[in-house]
Amino acid sequence: MSVETREARQPWILLSPALGAVALLLFVPLVFIAVYSFWLRTATGADQVGFFLDNWAEALTDEFYRDILLNTLKIAAITTLVCALMGYPAAYFIARSKGNKAVLLLLLMLPFWISYIIRTMSWINILGVSGAVNWLLTGLGIVSEPVQMLYNETTVILGLVHFLLPFMVLNVFVSLDGIDTTLEDAANSLGATKWQAFLQVTLPLSLPGLAAGGLLCFVLGAGTYITPLVLGGPTDAMFANLVFEAIITQLNWPLGSALSLMLLAVLGALVLIYNRYLGMAQLMKGLG
Amino acid sequence: MTRHMDDTTRYERLRERYLNGDLDRRGFLGMLGAAGLAYGVQTPFAKYARAAAEQVRFDGWGGVVSEAFREYAFDPYTAKTGVNVVDGTFGGADEYLSRVKASQPGEYNIAHLSGVFDYVRYHNLELSSELNEANIPNLENVITALVDVLRKPTGGSLSAVPYDYGTTGLAYNRKHISDEEMKEKGAKLMIDPAYEGKIGGWGEWKTRIWYAALQTDQDPNAVADIDAVWDAVRTHRDLALKYWSSGAELMSLLAEEEIYVTEAWSGRVKALQDQGHDIGYYDPPGGLGWQECLFVLRGSPMPECEELLNFMLAPETAIAVAEGQNYPPALDPNKVELTEQVKALPAFDPTGTLAGLNFFDPPYWNSKEAEWSKTFGRVQKGY
């Protein structure tokens, strides 16, 4: 075996455990799900093996699924926008802070030490009828009766922002931290104000991080089902809730499989578009 | 005489052949890989078969119920038989069924399920077993009506024993809704616009449809106008603040006064009352009763499971569990002396006939499951 051949093989040998794990734990289950999506649920709840297009026809043509999918994308988009608006200043502050950067990053990571469900449920104690905000409002005499704030689309978005904001801040921080600050100084020395230097130098250079954070927030937000379950009202379901219902409540694994692949395809398409224009390298940097 | 070779000897012989040059390196590694694959595929399933006689898995709702089972049934059972009880929990019958469906026969053994709807559902999925009742003498103490209703779907035999019963009635905050108003309006209070934003409801299709049938003056076990029922479900949805999905969430919504009225499980309301909350409970005319059973799944070690069921049906166990979870036991009060605490539980029937309760009619509701659960999923989300 020539040296070139051996060198060409080496990365694959090193990668083989990871590739094997991805193949076994991701692609094989995905194939199972794809196969399942062509089966049918019988009246008793048992699966009918075969090749039927009924689930796909229903998932793709029924406006119920289309509407919930669009609503899910809308909620994910609003969440991403709010995360960007709130996360950028925080990331900028951390990146430009001197000395206490590590402490600030640690504070940013602290919420991850608490269960996501507990973090979500904590809003009930904050915004509930007998929660902290209402206690304050009634105590100060601002309102006479507690205000109903929970269980609507706004609280779903609030819960998602709470969950996803650290992902945005981290990605933007990584991007900002890699920008040479002397570039801003150079812009200032050429007559630009601080605001102009930020708009024309720092912001464009940090856009890849913003986009990576946005992609993560969007994909994670669109795939969630706990937040609408805990903080949403009767009509605030998202697409993942439909998958949950099909598989768990209705025991319709074939339809649930088709729906989950549909969501995967939509979110996968977004990732591909991102990769086409910005590349995955920035995302990996943010995740790392 | 056949001599069984252990795996170490097999490996040493194979290695010796390789070192002697009888086997090339590719062949040696290939055989090792094949052995590893065979072990990996076989082991996860073989352990259940091997462990069958050594342990029984029980899945229930956890909490105080699980503690009572552990103290009064599992530990004495293990002490007597040497069979260990693995105690698992689930959040709901639907979730548990998904887990069972994805498992191998024998992996799950006994479950504390809702009867009779789930009993039939599991039977239809060919997950039922056939109990030898001679091994469960304590079954004699159980209310006959509860046993008979389980026999019907399984052709006279049993795959489960009844364990407790209760009702899904109406819970209301007495600071805002009087007992008189509740009695006057009954189920229709749940669609009273006066309480818009203060109404809750269990996000479960059967209960929603049952109460919508009552709200439209129909027999829930023979709905004549399903469109009217869906309209009532929609009306309730538009007035409701929240569909709850667990007993803990139900209690939180009522205790925090987020909602003033909802359907509720009798035992949970008793727990709230015991905590000092001024919550009333009312079973309206046509209100919903249910029973829970201990279901033995197909592929389970039957003699071991039957003996465990007998321990669990022993009066001291059943009464301790009943007091822990606030639901009356399935024991017939005419045959077993029950405690005053049990007799004071909501939904308790001193006659032991349960004639005053209404249950889901299994053939009717199981035949509608696919259509109605799906439609409810849509109506629930605003359609």
Side-chain angles (χ1 to χ4, degrees), chain A residues 134-145:
Chain A
N134 268 313
W135 176 79
L136 196 67
L137 291 176
T138 47
L140 294 173
I142 297 169
V143 294
S144 56
E145 289 287 315

Side-chain angles (χ1 to χ4, degrees), chain B residues 47-337:
Chain B
K47 78 175 178 188
Y48 300 114
R50 278 203 305 273
E54 296 163 13
Q55 70 176 39
V56 170
R57 182 181 169 109
F58 171 83
D59 287 274
W61 301 91
V64 288
V65 181
S66 182
E67 286 164 24
F69 276 140
R70 174 60 59 194
E71 182 180 350
Y72 292 96
F74 300 163
D75 288 344
Y77 168 79
T78 302
K80 184 190 170 194
T81 63
V83 177
N84 189 35
V85 181
V86 177
D87 190 5
T89 59
F90 52 72
D94 293 333
E95 172 215 317
Y96 182 68
L97 181 52
S98 295
R99 277 158 56 181
V100 171
K101 193 179 166 187
S103 70
Q104 297 294 316
E107 196 172 336
Y108 292 96
N109 302 136
I110 304 176
H112 194 178
L113 295 180
S114 294
V116 175
F117 178 83
D118 278 331
Y119 182 90
V120 176
R121 204 175 175 202
Y122 276 64
H123 177 63
N124 288 341
L125 286 166
E126 299 178 353
L127 294 167
S128 55
S129 61
E130 188 171 339
L131 295 175
N132 179 358
E133 295 173 38
N135 290 338
I136 316 170
N138 282 329
L139 188 58
E140 282 295 315
N141 294 330
V142 173
I143 295 171
T144 312
L146 291 176
V147 180
D148 289 346
V149 77
L150 294 183
R151 286 192 195 282
K152 278 185 198 166
T154 36
S157 67
L158 287 175
S159 181
V161 295
Y163 204 67
D164 53 78
Y165 64 93
T167 57
T168 303
L170 296 169
Y172 55 102
N173 187 318
R174 296 173 72 186
K175 277 197 275 183
H176 302 278
I177 298 169
S178 68
D179 296 342
E180 292 72 31
E181 185 181 7
M182 173 50 79
K183 277 186 185 143
E184 182 198 333
K185 294 180 179 171
K188 290 181 181 170
L189 192 67
M190 296 277 290
I191 50 171
D192 188 339
Y195 294 104
E196 181 174 6
K198 286 294 174 188
I199 297 170
W202 187 12
E204 191 247 11
W205 66 274
K206 296 199 300 296
T207 304
R208 290 264 53 80
I209 292 171
W210 183 284
Y211 269 90
L214 295 182
Q215 285 152 1
T216 53
D217 300 317
Q218 299 189 67
D219 176 359
N221 280 323
V223 173
D225 185 355
I226 191 63
D227 290 336
V229 165
W230 291 127
D231 284 344
V233 173
R234 287 187 184 95
T235 304
H236 170 266
R237 175 202 67 200
D238 294 340
L239 296 172
L241 172 69
K242 174 87 176 153
Y243 286 135
W244 48 270
S245 58
S246 69
E249 192 178 15
L250 158 69
M251 290 174 73
S252 165
L253 287 167
L254 281 170
E256 301 289 326
E257 300 192 8
E258 293 281 355
I259 56 173
Y260 298 158
V261 61
T262 177
E263 304 101 9
W265 302 325
S266 50
R268 293 290 183 160
V269 177
K270 177 73 168 58
L272 278 171
Q273 290 168 343
D274 289 346
Q275 288 170 16
H277 297 285
D278 192 11
I279 303 293
Y281 184 74
Y282 177 61
D283 279 315
L288 176 60
W290 43 262
Q291 66 153 302
E292 287 186 317
C293 62
L294 303 175
F295 191 97
V296 180
L297 291 151
R298 183 171 64 93
S300 299
M302 296 307 290
E304 287 82 1
C305 287
E306 286 153 359
E307 185 154 15
L308 180 57
L309 292 187
N310 200 47
F311 268 81
M312 295 168 90
L313 279 174
E316 62 272 23
T317 311
I319 289 169
V321 171
E323 290 177 350
Q325 65 173 359
N326 290 320
Y327 294 117
L331 301 176
D332 189 337
N334 300 312
K335 297 175 184 170
V336 177
E337 183 59 38

